[in-house]
Amino acid sequence: MKTIVISPTYNEKKNIEELIKRVLNSYKNIEILIVDDNSPDGTADVVKLLMKNNSKIHILERSAKLGLGTAYCAGFKWALDNGYQRIIQIDADMSHNPDDIGKLLAESKTSDVVIGSRYIDGVNVVNWPLSRLILSYSANLYARIVTGLPVSDATGGFKCFRNTVLESIDLSSINSEGYSFQIEMNFISWVKGYRIKEI
């Protein structure tokens, strides 16, 4: 399967090289797309320097900080236009472990959307302040109650989509951001009848 990892960035210069190298060194048949929102710290410059020696690195530069949701949607469109069949979301701040990408891909053989869940088996979060943990957990509880979405971690940003899922969604109509973007994408996938799996 032609696979790409997408990571939106804004001022991630200190992390971006490590993320790219860990993804590409661990998975020989995977490529990576950085969607940069004109980071003033020079994140895009680091990426473009790495691109000179590796054709598996791609960048999509945007004119300003336009938000996580639209960054992912722009990345999804780019991936679909370029024929990728598995599209993985990952945060650039290293809060998601690139070593777990293989687990998402393995599960995607039988599932349409695979979520790297923080809450499927208790609380699996490292180095978060209590306030952030409470906000995240409460947002997930609220999402389950209001939408009926049968997902423990609806707000998580570490996941894998099959291209068929994203092709069925009007990405230009997605306007939500942050936590709500993740919930909306999961909810639409669920309503459309796609198989969602948390691991």
Side-chain angles (χ1 to χ4, degrees):
M1 292 292 179
K2 192 176 179 185
T3 302
I4 194 154
V5 172
I6 299 177
S7 188
T9 55
Y10 187 78
N11 288 343
E12 294 291 351
K13 182 178 180 179
K14 66 181 184 298
N15 301 313
I16 199 61
E17 184 171 359
E18 180 184 357
L19 173 68
I20 290 171
K21 287 184 175 179
R22 285 187 61 187
V23 168
L24 298 184
N25 289 342
S26 298
Y27 307 97
K28 301 304 179 188
N29 298 319
I30 290 181
E31 300 180 30
I32 189 164
L33 171 67
I34 304 303
V35 183
D36 187 68
D37 275 4
N38 197 25
S39 298
D41 73 344
T43 300
D45 295 331
V46 174
V47 176
K48 287 187 278 190
L49 189 62
L50 295 170
M51 287 173 65
K52 290 181 179 180
N53 298 311
N54 196 325
S55 62
K56 294 181 179 181
I57 304 170
H58 311 278
I59 189 166
L60 182 58
E61 294 183 88
R62 305 202 306 165
S63 60
K65 189 175 183 181
L66 302 173
L68 181 74
T70 60
Y72 268 124
C73 287
F76 293 159
K77 290 175 187 176
W78 186 96
L80 295 174
D81 288 344
N82 286 278
Y84 293 92
Q85 298 161 299
R86 295 291 182 273
I87 297 101
I88 295 169
Q89 293 183 198
I90 194 169
D91 286 352
D93 63 1
M94 302 303 295
S95 60
H96 302 143
N97 185 354
D99 296 341
D100 288 332
I101 288 172
K103 297 176 185 177
L104 297 180
L105 288 173
E107 194 61 49
S108 74
K109 292 176 183 177
T110 55
S111 301
D112 302 305
V113 181
V114 185
I115 301 169
S117 178
R118 298 163 294 184
Y119 304 123
I120 192 170
D121 185 23
V123 177
N124 296 295
V125 178
V126 179
N127 296 327
W128 271 20
L130 184 59
S131 58
R132 184 178 178 189
L133 178 59
I134 291 171
L135 176 62
S136 172
Y137 194 83
S138 299
N140 277 288
L141 180 61
Y142 178 79
R144 287 199 306 274
I145 292 170
V146 171
T147 67
L149 183 63
V151 171
S152 298
D153 192 358
T155 64
F158 188 35
K159 63 180 78 168
C160 176
F161 288 97
R162 286 187 179 215
N163 59 321
T164 49
V165 177
L166 297 177
E167 287 167 347
S168 75
I169 297 173
D170 179 7
L171 295 171
S172 63
S173 71
I174 305 292
N175 296 309
S176 53
E177 290 296 335
Y179 282 152
S180 58
F181 166 74
Q182 307 295 358
I183 295 169
E184 183 175 6
M185 291 298 292
N186 291 330
F187 182 74
I188 293 172
S189 301
W190 176 58
V191 167
K192 286 178 172 288
Y194 288 109
R195 296 164 298 180
I196 301 175
K197 176 72 173 180
E198 287 185 277
I199 60 171

